[in-house]
């Protein structure tokens, strides 16, 4: 499980990440292949964001994402030769008539999409509070896929977000945090887009 490191003086939360999505390559010469280890490390680093939000209501959200990371990593560890990229990991697992990690990645991408949309909305709407940004993102990403039992748990988290000014205070230097967030989101959104397109392909379904 990922734990938040101390923010360095003059730095931001993004400086504490063990791996940033900015540093996860996409190989356009190889079908936009994304290296499994780098991606999972960046996703695991992202989960400390939910600690920054400062409410126990976000624990189920964080644990859900960590659980899906584990499903993908378990497959990688079980079959490393076939799992160097996320795409090869999924396709090779599906050939074996299993889909545990493929389903884990599907839900992980949905969770990352939710997170990126919430933070993008926050950046683009300076007058909107985090609760509005997170609720808007949840409605457009995870909510349509959640059962009636799960929706209240996640909805409670959306209402438990801190005030935006307090969130940025926890982020470190606010001006730098906004710049860093923009770069990080550009990279994360690119990875989500690539993976959503891959998951729509016939051979990536089960």
């Amino acid at each position: 499980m990922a734990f938040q490191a101390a923010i360095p003086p003059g730095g931001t939360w993004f400086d504490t990440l063990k791996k940033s999505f900015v540093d996860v390559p996409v190989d356009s010469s190889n079908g936009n292949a994304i290296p499994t280890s780098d991606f999972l490390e960046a996703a695991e680093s992202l989960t400390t964001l939910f600690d920054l939000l400062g409410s126990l209501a976000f624990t189920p959200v964080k644990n859900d994402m960590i659980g899906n990371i584990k499903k993908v990593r378990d497959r990688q560890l079980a079959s490393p030769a076939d799992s160097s990229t996320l795409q090869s990991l999924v396709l090779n697992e599906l050939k074996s008539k299993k889909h545990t990690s493929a389903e884990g990645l599907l839900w992980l991408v949905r969770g990352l999409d939710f997170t990126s949309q919430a933070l993008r909305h926050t950046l683009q709407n300076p007058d909107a509070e985090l609760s509005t940004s997170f609720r808007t993102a949840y409605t457009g990403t995870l909510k349509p896929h959640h059962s009636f039992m799960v929706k209240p748990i996640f909805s409670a988290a959306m209402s438990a977000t801190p005030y935006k000014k307090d969130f940025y205070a926890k982020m470190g230097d606010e001006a730098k945090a906004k710049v860093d967030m923009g770069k990080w989101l550009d990279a994360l959104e690119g990875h989500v887009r690539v993976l959503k397109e891959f998951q729509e392909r016939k051979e990536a379904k089960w």
Side-chain angles (χ1 to χ4, degrees), residues 4-15:
Q4 185 192 340
I7 295 173
T12 70
W13 171 77
F14 297 95
D15 296 315

Side-chain angles (χ1 to χ4, degrees), residues 13-14 20-22 46 49 112-124 168 177-193:
W13 171 77
F14 297 95
S20 170
F21 283 102
V22 173
L46 175 151
L49 175 72
L112 295 174
D113 193 18
F114 152 70
T115 307
S116 66
Q117 287 195 33
L119 294 180
R120 179 63 72 186
H121 188 276
T122 296
L123 274 184
Q124 293 179 338
Y168 278 126
K178 289 178 178 178
V179 172
D180 290 352
M181 189 186 296
K183 295 175 181 177
W184 182 79
L185 283 173
D186 287 343
L188 173 55
E189 288 164 346
H191 289 91
V192 167
R193 186 166 52 251

Side-chain angles (χ1 to χ4, degrees), residues 116-138:
S116 66
Q117 287 195 33
L119 294 180
R120 179 63 72 186
H121 188 276
T122 296
L123 274 184
Q124 293 179 338
N125 298 273
D127 294 330
E129 280 297 343
L130 284 186
S131 57
T132 299
S133 297
F134 274 76
R135 274 198 296 266
T136 300
Y138 178 62

